[in-house]
Amino acid sequence: MKALALEKILQSQGYGSRKWCRERIEGGDFRVDGQVFTDPKFQIDPSAHAFTVYEETFHYHEHVYLVLNKPSGYECSRSPTRHPGVLVLLSDAMRRREVQPVGRLDHDTTGLLLLSDDGGFIHRQSSPKYHVPKTYWAHTSEIVSEGDAEQLKQGVRLNDEPQPIAALSSKVIAPQTLEIVLSEGKYHQVKRMIAAIGHHCARLERVAIGKLTLSSLTLPEGSWRHLSEEERALLVAPPNTPPLN
Ligand code: URA
């Protein structure tokens, strides 16, 4: 990749203003592969090295693609009102990069949440046109049946929707848990679909996006990390998915 000045590398990763970064480098607080570099204008291929500032080592990312195991009690909105925003769970550097959640989960929904600073990626992942299936486990207050799952697959009517809304798939996975796969994300969609078949969704988890599963990540609740290239490849819609419109 094209060589960049050290001060630009540090600034682009969200560590601070250009001036702050220049001062850290001139002051001897910046290392490349363990070796102190003090010239902020020195140019280097950022993809080929590990950098350290104040004992924190990082690798250069032009864009970041993060996954968070979202706990209950955090809002995905950019201006949270009643609960803390999910961004407080990230590092200062990630917040400074203006990373945003990809789509929204309700404050009480837990599980897989993607975050990125790549607008194209956010659009592809959240647009219904791209059909990225999302898998939820809806834990209900009552016992559920295969008939309930069948109704969700056939389609249910939601108040403000002209057409019935159908799940891509649904099945009973425990006496009080329905798995439901959707490729769109209307407001409170799972909870409203569960209500439409006469049940109450007491707890909701997102357990997969595309083929990326929460269980494969071994990520404790409240923790986040960068997605690998292989993991990102799992986020796409399966081949031969028919277009929605
Ligand atoms: N459907 C819901 O009802 N809530 C969520 O958080 C996600 C999907």
Side-chain angles (χ1 to χ4, degrees):
M1 128 167 235
K2 190 167 151 266
L4 296 175
L6 295 182
E7 62 179 15
K8 169 95 181 122
I9 294 173
L10 190 54
Q11 184 200 8
S12 69
Q13 303 304 288
Y15 282 95
S17 66
R18 182 69 75 102
K19 178 166 174 284
W20 186 94
C21 294
R22 190 178 306 138
E23 285 169 4
R24 298 292 79 68
I25 297 168
E26 286 169 348
D29 295 321
F30 185 70
R31 281 178 273 150
V32 180
D33 297 331
Q35 196 186 332
V36 173
F37 275 64
T38 54
D39 178 3
K41 303 280 178 211
F42 187 81
Q43 300 219 341
I44 207 163
D45 172 359
S47 63
H49 303 277
F51 304 98
T52 308
V53 63
Y54 285 141
E55 307 311 319
E56 182 182 331
T57 298
F58 66 91
H59 291 270
Y60 178 86
H61 298 278
E62 188 174 353
H63 286 296
V64 287
Y65 306 93
L66 311 179
V67 61
L68 167 73
N69 183 356
K70 181 189 172 297
S72 179
Y74 290 84
E75 289 182 23
C76 290
S77 130
R78 270 159 93 71
S79 323
T81 49
R82 302 180 52 196
H83 304 272
V86 284
L87 298 182
V88 303
L89 298 165
L90 305 181
S91 63
D92 290 347
M94 290 303 143
R95 273 195 297 278
R96 258 188 241 111
R97 288 186 71 134
E98 301 196 0
V99 159
Q100 296 176 39
V102 179
R104 288 191 182 184
L105 291 177
D106 297 335
H107 77 89
D108 55 355
T109 301
T110 61
L112 268 185
L113 181 69
L114 306 176
L115 301 108
S116 180
D117 60 356
D118 178 348
F121 173 80
I122 294 175
H123 176 68
R124 281 191 303 282
Q125 285 297 317
S126 29
S127 165
K129 281 204 180 134
Y130 290 92
H131 273 300
V132 180
K134 319 249 172 16
T135 306
Y136 297 88
W137 286 351
H139 304 278
T140 54
S141 305
E142 311 81 17
I143 306 282
V144 286
S145 68
E146 281 305 333
D148 292 321
E150 198 50 46
Q151 277 192 65
L152 293 170
K153 285 187 284 188
Q154 294 299 321
V156 294
R157 292 215 84 103
L158 303 181
N159 295 347
D160 48 350
E161 295 298 330
Q163 301 295 331
I165 304 277
L168 289 179
S169 75
S170 180
K171 60 184 178 209
V172 176
I173 57 165
Q176 288 178 241
T177 308
L178 280 163
E179 179 175 280
I180 170 164
V181 183
L182 303 176
S183 66
E184 52 200 333
K186 298 184 191 303
Y187 182 67
H188 292 330
Q189 184 166 343
V190 174
K191 292 174 186 166
R192 287 159 72 215
M193 289 177 77
I194 298 290
I197 57 164
H199 291 299
H200 170 68
C201 179
R203 190 162 64 80
L204 186 60
E205 286 178 86
R206 182 152 72 188
V207 296
I209 298 177
K211 291 205 167 93
L212 180 74
T213 61
L214 181 59
S215 58
S216 68
L217 295 170
T218 54
L219 196 59
E221 208 171 76
S223 306
W224 63 276
R225 67 166 170 79
H226 292 269
L227 285 170
S228 66
E229 296 249 334
E230 294 73 28
E231 287 166 340
R232 268 170 61 200
L234 298 173
L235 294 172
V236 294
N240 307 323
T241 310
L244 277 179
N245 47 35

